[in-house]
Amino acid sequence: MEMQVELVRWLEDADRDDVPTLGGKNASLGEMIQRLGAKGIAVPEGFATTADAYRRFVEANGLAEVVRHHIDELHDGRRVHEVGPRIREAFEAATMPDDLAEAVRTTYAGLSERVGRDDVDVAVRSSATAEDLPDASFAGQQASFLNVSGADEVVAAVQRCFASLFTDRAIIYREEQGFGHLEIALSAGVQRMVRSDLAGAGVAFTIDTETGFDQVLVIDGAWGLGESVVAGEVDPDTYVVFKPLLTDTTLRPIVTKQRGAKEVKIVYDEAGQGTISLSTSAEERSSFVLDDDEILTLARWCVTIEDHYGVPMDIEWAKDGHTGELFIVQARPETVQSRADAGVLSTYRLTESGEPLVDGLAIGDAIASGPVVRLESAADGHRFTDGGVLVTGMTDPDWVPIMKRAAAIVTDHGGRTAHAAIVSRELGVPALVGTSDATRVLREGEVVTVSCAEGDRGYVYPGVLTFERDEVDLSSLPTTRTRIMMNLASPAAAFRWWRLPAQGIGLARIEFIINSHVGVHPLALTRYDEVDDLEARRRIDKLTAGYADRTDYFVNRLARGVARIAASRYPDPVIVRMSDFKTNEYADLLGGRTFEPEEDNPMIGFRGASRYYSEHYRDGFALECRAMKKAREEIGLTNIKLMIPFVRTVWEADRVLEVMAENGLARGEAGLEIYMMAEVPSNITMAEEFAQRFDGFSIGSNDLTQLELGIDRDSGRLAELFDERNEAVTRRIVELLDKAHRHDTPVGICGQGPSDHPEFAAFLVRHGIDSMSLNPDSIATVIPRIAEVERELDATR
């Protein structure tokens, strides 16, 4: 008697052990319905054809020989775009066996009855039987058919899924991976369609897909069916959620909420079955697909799924436009970042030399080659070629999208604290700044090598020079008593450095977040009616569209930018410096010229603490305080500590602390610690008085050197005299350490010196610095030196 062959199976009767029978996609759906439904995760009901059903179809139509014949042609040199279509044509021309067709029709009728709708509309998706294994991800290689209804149409869609096992890309992939083409079977999943064409859908990853940072999950969403997001056809909304705080339902740990353009959406074709693409409305483009409650619900589901499977997951979700319900429609293991080497840092060394074309200050320690692309304006970004060497006068936040695509960056102007230097460090892109003549000397299109691996100075050489890249095992770095922290400004780059053995962030600059993520002068929002620039008003209106109160735009953007940085090191401390723009820099913000005075020397003008209690800026500072309170108490990143820059007098310190308390940021409440920058000589003269008011000091060696030596730190002519290792400066630092430690007040440093000069770092350790905040690219080289000095000190005691 012939053994009964199972041709279809309800998804609720499947689990993860059924990959050989139902493929990874359908087995995973069954697993979630069975095991996670009780935990509140909604998965649309459905059924799937089995691997035996596929084999029955192949055998009944003699298709195995067809496949062998055409694959032999492929091996004999015929191209895949000739072989693939012939195999697919044979599959689509074949006849579905009666028992299989009847099984699909009967089960589809049962699904329609369950849903309570005649000829329920379904999605018919392919699931290869080796799909989504950790070492064999076949996802996306086979076809899916949406908005299918009617028994005959479902049977036809199942057959087209069978044929799609031989798409050109699937054939190529199996050839490359060594999989036999007849060893793989295909299961067609038939699942009730979620009417996300009337709402939205997208994908979620339970790991940061760019850096592998595993404490966040990333959700993308767009209007309409999720295929637009999966296929990369649309610029979606992006939401990033910090996973460790999701268990506290009183918190809202959304650390990024970025609105995408969402210019198109895929919807049902009302004229028949299938789908069509439509342009979205202006309202849809300016609105978020998910609200905060939905983002958090989806995030908690994703964490539950990840916990269940025990690995980072790639998940597809959909929202039903009729009911407003969220559904998970697919989940599979993430197979890129979760397998990356987490403990390696790269170092570079040239193995041949050349005559440099230009030189400048070296930022980073990498080497890169590429063709020169000279741009005068960020508006010319369309001319930039990925992997080119960006050559320009100077950069600002508008350049960041171009900088991300560059192999290296070279500027005429700027120092180590310039925008190009700070951003390139965080992007891990080598840069030369302050070359003075790169735009004149370097020719468009010529191939050059940019080396930042030769010390303080970097060089641009003609041609492609060879170099060695070494891998540093971060786990082999010694531990130190001195707390090693990082300087960080850009939320976009925060996750890049999560693997570094830092114990927090010693300096997170609010002004960089305001510049790149907010873009509007805070007073242009609190005093909008005073903005007399009509174009600025128009741009402000566009940025703040959807906010009932314009100031909420500033608060939300700043809070989430800071929270993203804080999340990257949680629970280690992250010291966030309140804004330290100079008046000329504030004036460059949108709407800023209405509110900023012109100063002959902004570097020692209306900046830092003096602004916070002044009636000229007090309401702007209140927005900064609201943002910090939101980041700490609503989002939940209580590892955020605040720091006040450029405090000139003790009286001024008291005034600022009063204003902060009035805005809900009282020192000591909710565990809040407040630090101050030690960068004005008076800070050191009066260090004992300041120590009674603040929880710690952070030495700003750039400003301290500037004010101690009377040198404009931005002056090119005086650059050779500007040196934080000057004895006048180092004596001041020793004085501060002695006074602060008498009051048990910790002292750190967040200036450039320790990153650039190992001997300066050694000096600080010998005199008892409590923490050292370094640029990310210098941590691996400075830590061993600090450990060595600590050992030397121990030996002499």
Side-chain angles (χ1 to χ4, degrees), residues 313-344:
M313 297 295 288
D314 171 358
I315 297 163
E316 294 182 24
W317 61 271
K319 178 181 175 181
D320 192 290
H322 284 309
T323 66
E325 295 174 283
L326 290 170
F327 291 90
I328 300 298
V329 295
Q330 193 175 138
R332 53 179 169 262
E334 193 275 343
T335 58
V336 179
Q337 287 294 347
S338 56
R339 298 167 63 192
D341 189 344
V344 174

PDB file of all heavy atoms in Angstrom, residues 313-344:
ATOM      1  N   MET A 313      17.594  38.770  14.836  1.00  0.00           N
ATOM      2  CA  MET A 313      16.581  38.396  13.855  1.00  0.00           C
ATOM      3  C   MET A 313      16.311  39.509  12.854  1.00  0.00           C
ATOM      4  O   MET A 313      16.429  40.695  13.140  1.00  0.00           O
ATOM      5  CB  MET A 313      15.277  38.032  14.578  1.00  0.00           C
ATOM      6  CG  MET A 313      15.382  36.840  15.502  1.00  0.00           C
ATOM      7  SD  MET A 313      15.735  35.280  14.641  1.00  0.00           S
ATOM      8  CE  MET A 313      14.149  35.000  13.834  1.00  0.00           C
ATOM      9  N   ASP A 314      15.911  39.085  11.665  1.00  0.00           N
ATOM     10  CA  ASP A 314      15.456  39.931  10.560  1.00  0.00           C
ATOM     11  C   ASP A 314      13.963  39.662  10.432  1.00  0.00           C
ATOM     12  O   ASP A 314      13.554  38.535  10.120  1.00  0.00           O
ATOM     13  CB  ASP A 314      16.231  39.538   9.302  1.00  0.00           C
ATOM     14  CG  ASP A 314      15.705  40.176   8.030  1.00  0.00           C
ATOM     15  OD1 ASP A 314      14.703  40.906   8.087  1.00  0.00           O
ATOM     16  OD2 ASP A 314      16.290  39.917   6.963  1.00  0.00           O
ATOM     17  N   ILE A 315      13.134  40.670  10.681  1.00  0.00           N
ATOM     18  CA  ILE A 315      11.691  40.486  10.856  1.00  0.00           C
ATOM     19  C   ILE A 315      10.930  41.407   9.915  1.00  0.00           C
ATOM     20  O   ILE A 315      11.320  42.552   9.700  1.00  0.00           O
ATOM     21  CB  ILE A 315      11.305  40.796  12.328  1.00  0.00           C
ATOM     22  CG1 ILE A 315      11.990  39.798  13.275  1.00  0.00           C
ATOM     23  CG2 ILE A 315       9.789  40.786  12.527  1.00  0.00           C
ATOM     24  CD1 ILE A 315      12.006  40.239  14.721  1.00  0.00           C
ATOM     25  N   GLU A 316       9.848  40.908   9.348  1.00  0.00           N
ATOM     26  CA  GLU A 316       8.959  41.745   8.567  1.00  0.00           C
ATOM     27  C   GLU A 316       7.638  41.921   9.322  1.00  0.00           C
ATOM     28  O   GLU A 316       7.133  40.974   9.916  1.00  0.00           O
ATOM     29  CB  GLU A 316       8.707  41.136   7.176  1.00  0.00           C
ATOM     30  CG  GLU A 316       9.957  41.090   6.312  1.00  0.00           C
ATOM     31  CD  GLU A 316       9.711  40.531   4.931  1.00  0.00           C
ATOM     32  OE1 GLU A 316       8.550  40.605   4.466  1.00  0.00           O
ATOM     33  OE2 GLU A 316      10.660  40.006   4.316  1.00  0.00           O
ATOM     34  N   TRP A 317       7.111  43.146   9.292  1.00  0.00           N
ATOM     35  CA  TRP A 317       5.885  43.462  10.017  1.00  0.00           C
ATOM     36  C   TRP A 317       4.913  44.181   9.099  1.00  0.00           C
ATOM     37  O   TRP A 317       5.289  44.709   8.050  1.00  0.00           O
ATOM     38  CB  TRP A 317       6.187  44.337  11.245  1.00  0.00           C
ATOM     39  CG  TRP A 317       6.806  45.663  10.897  1.00  0.00           C
ATOM     40  CD1 TRP A 317       8.126  45.949  10.757  1.00  0.00           C
ATOM     41  CD2 TRP A 317       6.101  46.883  10.600  1.00  0.00           C
ATOM     42  NE1 TRP A 317       8.303  47.264  10.404  1.00  0.00           N
ATOM     43  CE2 TRP A 317       7.080  47.863  10.304  1.00  0.00           C
ATOM     44  CE3 TRP A 317       4.750  47.238  10.569  1.00  0.00           C
ATOM     45  CZ2 TRP A 317       6.743  49.178   9.971  1.00  0.00           C
ATOM     46  CZ3 TRP A 317       4.412  48.545  10.242  1.00  0.00           C
ATOM     47  CH2 TRP A 317       5.398  49.496   9.946  1.00  0.00           C
ATOM     48  N   ALA A 318       3.655  44.198   9.506  1.00  0.00           N
ATOM     49  CA  ALA A 318       2.624  44.883   8.723  1.00  0.00           C
ATOM     50  C   ALA A 318       1.524  45.364   9.663  1.00  0.00           C
ATOM     51  O   ALA A 318       1.264  44.750  10.700  1.00  0.00           O
ATOM     52  CB  ALA A 318       2.039  43.949   7.665  1.00  0.00           C
ATOM     53  N   LYS A 319       0.889  46.465   9.261  1.00  0.00           N
ATOM     54  CA  LYS A 319      -0.226  47.018  10.033  1.00  0.00           C
ATOM     55  C   LYS A 319      -1.480  46.989   9.181  1.00  0.00           C
ATOM     56  O   LYS A 319      -1.470  47.437   8.029  1.00  0.00           O
ATOM     57  CB  LYS A 319       0.094  48.463  10.456  1.00  0.00           C
ATOM     58  CG  LYS A 319      -1.031  49.141  11.233  1.00  0.00           C
ATOM     59  CD  LYS A 319      -0.656  50.571  11.600  1.00  0.00           C
ATOM     60  CE  LYS A 319      -1.817  51.282  12.272  1.00  0.00           C
ATOM     61  NZ  LYS A 319      -1.485  52.686  12.631  1.00  0.00           N
ATOM     62  N   ASP A 320      -2.546  46.454   9.720  1.00  0.00           N
ATOM     63  CA  ASP A 320      -3.800  46.345   8.984  1.00  0.00           C
ATOM     64  C   ASP A 320      -4.551  47.678   9.027  1.00  0.00           C
ATOM     65  O   ASP A 320      -4.831  48.219  10.098  1.00  0.00           O
ATOM     66  CB  ASP A 320      -4.673  45.243   9.592  1.00  0.00           C
ATOM     67  CG  ASP A 320      -5.846  44.895   8.701  1.00  0.00           C
ATOM     68  OD1 ASP A 320      -6.768  45.732   8.581  1.00  0.00           O
ATOM     69  OD2 ASP A 320      -5.844  43.803   8.111  1.00  0.00           O
ATOM     70  N   GLY A 321      -4.862  48.203   7.837  1.00  0.00           N
ATOM     71  CA  GLY A 321      -5.533  49.502   7.755  1.00  0.00           C
ATOM     72  C   GLY A 321      -6.977  49.475   8.200  1.00  0.00           C
ATOM     73  O   GLY A 321      -7.537  50.523   8.544  1.00  0.00           O
ATOM     74  N   HIS A 322      -7.598  48.294   8.198  1.00  0.00           N
ATOM     75  CA  HIS A 322      -8.991  48.195   8.643  1.00  0.00           C
ATOM     76  C   HIS A 322      -9.082  48.197  10.168  1.00  0.00           C
ATOM     77  O   HIS A 322      -9.931  48.876  10.751  1.00  0.00           O
ATOM     78  CB  HIS A 322      -9.642  46.924   8.098  1.00  0.00           C
ATOM     79  CG  HIS A 322     -10.012  46.990   6.648  1.00  0.00           C
ATOM     80  ND1 HIS A 322     -10.735  48.017   6.111  1.00  0.00           N
ATOM     81  CD2 HIS A 322      -9.739  46.129   5.620  1.00  0.00           C
ATOM     82  CE1 HIS A 322     -10.910  47.799   4.807  1.00  0.00           C
ATOM     83  NE2 HIS A 322     -10.316  46.664   4.486  1.00  0.00           N
ATOM     84  N   THR A 323      -8.226  47.415  10.814  1.00  0.00           N
ATOM     85  CA  THR A 323      -8.350  47.208  12.260  1.00  0.00           C
ATOM     86  C   THR A 323      -7.315  47.968  13.077  1.00  0.00           C
ATOM     87  O   THR A 323      -7.469  48.114  14.291  1.00  0.00           O
ATOM     88  CB  THR A 323      -8.203  45.711  12.591  1.00  0.00           C
ATOM     89  OG1 THR A 323      -6.863  45.294  12.274  1.00  0.00           O
ATOM     90  CG2 THR A 323      -9.198  44.884  11.796  1.00  0.00           C
ATOM     91  N   GLY A 324      -6.224  48.429  12.422  1.00  0.00           N
ATOM     92  CA  GLY A 324      -5.140  49.079  13.151  1.00  0.00           C
ATOM     93  C   GLY A 324      -4.215  48.102  13.850  1.00  0.00           C
ATOM     94  O   GLY A 324      -3.293  48.515  14.560  1.00  0.00           O
ATOM     95  N   GLU A 325      -4.441  46.781  13.656  1.00  0.00           N
ATOM     96  CA  GLU A 325      -3.621  45.779  14.330  1.00  0.00           C
ATOM     97  C   GLU A 325      -2.254  45.637  13.654  1.00  0.00           C
ATOM     98  O   GLU A 325      -2.128  45.772  12.438  1.00  0.00           O
ATOM     99  CB  GLU A 325      -4.312  44.416  14.287  1.00  0.00           C
ATOM    100  CG  GLU A 325      -5.610  44.333  15.048  1.00  0.00           C
ATOM    101  CD  GLU A 325      -6.277  42.992  14.813  1.00  0.00           C
ATOM    102  OE1 GLU A 325      -6.863  42.810  13.731  1.00  0.00           O
ATOM    103  OE2 GLU A 325      -6.186  42.122  15.695  1.00  0.00           O
ATOM    104  N   LEU A 326      -1.243  45.325  14.484  1.00  0.00           N
ATOM    105  CA  LEU A 326       0.088  45.001  13.988  1.00  0.00           C
ATOM    106  C   LEU A 326       0.235  43.493  13.867  1.00  0.00           C
ATOM    107  O   LEU A 326      -0.318  42.728  14.665  1.00  0.00           O
ATOM    108  CB  LEU A 326       1.160  45.538  14.943  1.00  0.00           C
ATOM    109  CG  LEU A 326       1.344  47.059  15.012  1.00  0.00           C
ATOM    110  CD1 LEU A 326       2.253  47.418  16.171  1.00  0.00           C
ATOM    111  CD2 LEU A 326       1.919  47.594  13.694  1.00  0.00           C
ATOM    112  N   PHE A 327       0.999  43.067  12.869  1.00  0.00           N
ATOM    113  CA  PHE A 327       1.264  41.647  12.659  1.00  0.00           C
ATOM    114  C   PHE A 327       2.736  41.441  12.301  1.00  0.00           C
ATOM    115  O   PHE A 327       3.365  42.310  11.688  1.00  0.00           O
ATOM    116  CB  PHE A 327       0.411  41.082  11.511  1.00  0.00           C
ATOM    117  CG  PHE A 327      -1.055  40.999  11.818  1.00  0.00           C
ATOM    118  CD1 PHE A 327      -1.901  42.067  11.535  1.00  0.00           C
ATOM    119  CD2 PHE A 327      -1.597  39.860  12.388  1.00  0.00           C
ATOM    120  CE1 PHE A 327      -3.249  42.006  11.803  1.00  0.00           C
ATOM    121  CE2 PHE A 327      -2.955  39.778  12.663  1.00  0.00           C
ATOM    122  CZ  PHE A 327      -3.791  40.851  12.372  1.00  0.00           C
ATOM    123  N   ILE A 328       3.249  40.299  12.683  1.00  0.00           N
ATOM    124  CA  ILE A 328       4.557  39.831  12.205  1.00  0.00           C
ATOM    125  C   ILE A 328       4.285  38.885  11.050  1.00  0.00           C
ATOM    126  O   ILE A 328       3.533  37.912  11.191  1.00  0.00           O
ATOM    127  CB  ILE A 328       5.344  39.107  13.313  1.00  0.00           C
ATOM    128  CG1 ILE A 328       5.581  40.037  14.493  1.00  0.00           C
ATOM    129  CG2 ILE A 328       6.662  38.564  12.767  1.00  0.00           C
ATOM    130  CD1 ILE A 328       6.414  41.262  14.184  1.00  0.00           C
ATOM    131  N   VAL A 329       4.873  39.152   9.889  1.00  0.00           N
ATOM    132  CA  VAL A 329       4.593  38.313   8.719  1.00  0.00           C
ATOM    133  C   VAL A 329       5.793  37.475   8.294  1.00  0.00           C
ATOM    134  O   VAL A 329       5.677  36.647   7.391  1.00  0.00           O
ATOM    135  CB  VAL A 329       4.094  39.172   7.527  1.00  0.00           C
ATOM    136  CG1 VAL A 329       2.757  39.817   7.863  1.00  0.00           C
ATOM    137  CG2 VAL A 329       5.099  40.232   7.124  1.00  0.00           C
ATOM    138  N   GLN A 330       6.944  37.679   8.956  1.00  0.00           N
ATOM    139  CA  GLN A 330       8.102  36.862   8.630  1.00  0.00           C
ATOM    140  C   GLN A 330       9.187  37.112   9.669  1.00  0.00           C
ATOM    141  O   GLN A 330       9.304  38.222  10.200  1.00  0.00           O
ATOM    142  CB  GLN A 330       8.634  37.212   7.237  1.00  0.00           C
ATOM    143  CG  GLN A 330       9.638  36.212   6.698  1.00  0.00           C
ATOM    144  CD  GLN A 330      10.045  36.532   5.271  1.00  0.00           C
ATOM    145  OE1 GLN A 330      11.210  36.450   4.921  1.00  0.00           O
ATOM    146  NE2 GLN A 330       9.093  36.913   4.439  1.00  0.00           N
ATOM    147  N   ALA A 331       9.983  36.096   9.973  1.00  0.00           N
ATOM    148  CA  ALA A 331      11.131  36.263  10.866  1.00  0.00           C
ATOM    149  C   ALA A 331      12.183  35.233  10.504  1.00  0.00           C
ATOM    150  O   ALA A 331      11.874  34.058  10.310  1.00  0.00           O
ATOM    151  CB  ALA A 331      10.705  36.095  12.324  1.00  0.00           C
ATOM    152  N   ARG A 332      13.411  35.690  10.391  1.00  0.00           N
ATOM    153  CA  ARG A 332      14.527  34.789  10.066  1.00  0.00           C
ATOM    154  C   ARG A 332      15.790  35.310  10.738  1.00  0.00           C
ATOM    155  O   ARG A 332      15.877  36.500  11.090  1.00  0.00           O
ATOM    156  CB  ARG A 332      14.732  34.724   8.557  1.00  0.00           C
ATOM    157  CG  ARG A 332      14.888  36.076   7.884  1.00  0.00           C
ATOM    158  CD  ARG A 332      15.118  35.919   6.384  1.00  0.00           C
ATOM    159  NE  ARG A 332      15.010  37.215   5.703  1.00  0.00           N
ATOM    160  CZ  ARG A 332      13.925  37.640   5.070  1.00  0.00           C
ATOM    161  NH1 ARG A 332      12.846  36.871   5.027  1.00  0.00           N
ATOM    162  NH2 ARG A 332      13.899  38.815   4.475  1.00  0.00           N
ATOM    163  N   PRO A 333      16.799  34.484  10.922  1.00  0.00           N
ATOM    164  CA  PRO A 333      18.040  34.951  11.549  1.00  0.00           C
ATOM    165  C   PRO A 333      18.736  36.007  10.695  1.00  0.00           C
ATOM    166  O   PRO A 333      18.758  35.915   9.472  1.00  0.00           O
ATOM    167  CB  PRO A 333      18.890  33.670  11.642  1.00  0.00           C
ATOM    168  CG  PRO A 333      17.912  32.545  11.574  1.00  0.00           C
ATOM    169  CD  PRO A 333      16.812  33.019  10.680  1.00  0.00           C
ATOM    170  N   GLU A 334      19.311  37.011  11.355  1.00  0.00           N
ATOM    171  CA  GLU A 334      20.179  37.978  10.690  1.00  0.00           C
ATOM    172  C   GLU A 334      21.523  37.302  10.471  1.00  0.00           C
ATOM    173  O   GLU A 334      22.033  36.619  11.359  1.00  0.00           O
ATOM    174  CB  GLU A 334      20.337  39.221  11.572  1.00  0.00           C
ATOM    175  CG  GLU A 334      20.961  40.411  10.881  1.00  0.00           C
ATOM    176  CD  GLU A 334      22.476  40.384  10.889  1.00  0.00           C
ATOM    177  OE1 GLU A 334      23.069  39.634  11.687  1.00  0.00           O
ATOM    178  OE2 GLU A 334      23.079  41.107  10.086  1.00  0.00           O
ATOM    179  N   THR A 335      22.104  37.469   9.298  1.00  0.00           N
ATOM    180  CA  THR A 335      23.266  36.651   8.937  1.00  0.00           C
ATOM    181  C   THR A 335      24.521  37.437   8.586  1.00  0.00           C
ATOM    182  O   THR A 335      25.479  36.866   8.078  1.00  0.00           O
ATOM    183  CB  THR A 335      22.920  35.735   7.740  1.00  0.00           C
ATOM    184  OG1 THR A 335      22.499  36.552   6.633  1.00  0.00           O
ATOM    185  CG2 THR A 335      21.840  34.747   8.097  1.00  0.00           C
ATOM    186  N   VAL A 336      24.530  38.764   8.849  1.00  0.00           N
ATOM    187  CA  VAL A 336      25.716  39.553   8.496  1.00  0.00           C
ATOM    188  C   VAL A 336      26.435  40.022   9.752  1.00  0.00           C
ATOM    189  O   VAL A 336      27.475  39.500  10.135  1.00  0.00           O
ATOM    190  CB  VAL A 336      25.341  40.746   7.592  1.00  0.00           C
ATOM    191  CG1 VAL A 336      26.584  41.554   7.257  1.00  0.00           C
ATOM    192  CG2 VAL A 336      24.668  40.254   6.316  1.00  0.00           C
ATOM    193  N   GLN A 337      25.854  41.020  10.437  1.00  0.00           N
ATOM    194  CA  GLN A 337      26.536  41.604  11.584  1.00  0.00           C
ATOM    195  C   GLN A 337      26.670  40.630  12.748  1.00  0.00           C
ATOM    196  O   GLN A 337      27.647  40.687  13.497  1.00  0.00           O
ATOM    197  CB  GLN A 337      25.802  42.859  12.058  1.00  0.00           C
ATOM    198  CG  GLN A 337      25.965  44.049  11.131  1.00  0.00           C
ATOM    199  CD  GLN A 337      27.393  44.545  11.076  1.00  0.00           C
ATOM    200  OE1 GLN A 337      28.228  44.180  11.893  1.00  0.00           O
ATOM    201  NE2 GLN A 337      27.686  45.386  10.099  1.00  0.00           N
ATOM    202  N   SER A 338      25.719  39.748  12.911  1.00  0.00           N
ATOM    203  CA  SER A 338      25.772  38.823  14.038  1.00  0.00           C
ATOM    204  C   SER A 338      26.940  37.849  13.925  1.00  0.00           C
ATOM    205  O   SER A 338      27.325  37.207  14.906  1.00  0.00           O
ATOM    206  CB  SER A 338      24.461  38.036  14.147  1.00  0.00           C
ATOM    207  OG  SER A 338      24.184  37.351  12.939  1.00  0.00           O
ATOM    208  N   ARG A 339      27.543  37.759  12.741  1.00  0.00           N
ATOM    209  CA  ARG A 339      28.665  36.845  12.544  1.00  0.00           C
ATOM    210  C   ARG A 339      29.990  37.577  12.379  1.00  0.00           C
ATOM    211  O   ARG A 339      31.024  36.968  12.125  1.00  0.00           O
ATOM    212  CB  ARG A 339      28.398  35.976  11.306  1.00  0.00           C
ATOM    213  CG  ARG A 339      27.147  35.111  11.451  1.00  0.00           C
ATOM    214  CD  ARG A 339      26.736  34.505  10.133  1.00  0.00           C
ATOM    215  NE  ARG A 339      27.743  33.611   9.610  1.00  0.00           N
ATOM    216  CZ  ARG A 339      27.733  33.121   8.365  1.00  0.00           C
ATOM    217  NH1 ARG A 339      26.777  33.485   7.536  1.00  0.00           N
ATOM    218  NH2 ARG A 339      28.677  32.303   7.954  1.00  0.00           N
ATOM    219  N   ALA A 340      29.960  38.915  12.518  1.00  0.00           N
ATOM    220  CA  ALA A 340      31.186  39.700  12.349  1.00  0.00           C
ATOM    221  C   ALA A 340      32.102  39.524  13.552  1.00  0.00           C
ATOM    222  O   ALA A 340      31.660  39.232  14.663  1.00  0.00           O
ATOM    223  CB  ALA A 340      30.830  41.174  12.164  1.00  0.00           C
ATOM    224  N   ASP A 341      33.396  39.710  13.330  1.00  0.00           N
ATOM    225  CA  ASP A 341      34.388  39.627  14.394  1.00  0.00           C
ATOM    226  C   ASP A 341      34.268  40.859  15.285  1.00  0.00           C
ATOM    227  O   ASP A 341      34.491  41.979  14.829  1.00  0.00           O
ATOM    228  CB  ASP A 341      35.791  39.535  13.788  1.00  0.00           C
ATOM    229  CG  ASP A 341      36.862  39.223  14.833  1.00  0.00           C
ATOM    230  OD1 ASP A 341      36.575  39.380  16.030  1.00  0.00           O
ATOM    231  OD2 ASP A 341      37.964  38.812  14.438  1.00  0.00           O
ATOM    232  N   ALA A 342      33.929  40.654  16.547  1.00  0.00           N
ATOM    233  CA  ALA A 342      33.637  41.776  17.436  1.00  0.00           C
ATOM    234  C   ALA A 342      34.873  42.354  18.109  1.00  0.00           C
ATOM    235  O   ALA A 342      34.792  43.413  18.723  1.00  0.00           O
ATOM    236  CB  ALA A 342      32.643  41.331  18.514  1.00  0.00           C
ATOM    237  N   GLY A 343      36.016  41.704  18.033  1.00  0.00           N
ATOM    238  CA  GLY A 343      37.148  42.132  18.843  1.00  0.00           C
ATOM    239  C   GLY A 343      38.356  42.612  18.078  1.00  0.00           C
ATOM    240  O   GLY A 343      39.478  42.516  18.566  1.00  0.00           O
ATOM    241  N   VAL A 344      38.153  43.127  16.866  1.00  0.00           N
ATOM    242  CA  VAL A 344      39.295  43.466  16.018  1.00  0.00           C
ATOM    243  C   VAL A 344      39.266  44.944  15.644  1.00  0.00           C
ATOM    244  O   VAL A 344      38.222  45.509  15.327  1.00  0.00           O
ATOM    245  CB  VAL A 344      39.290  42.608  14.736  1.00  0.00           C
ATOM    246  CG1 VAL A 344      40.377  43.054  13.781  1.00  0.00           C
ATOM    247  CG2 VAL A 344      39.487  41.139  15.096  1.00  0.00           C
TER     248      VAL A 344
END
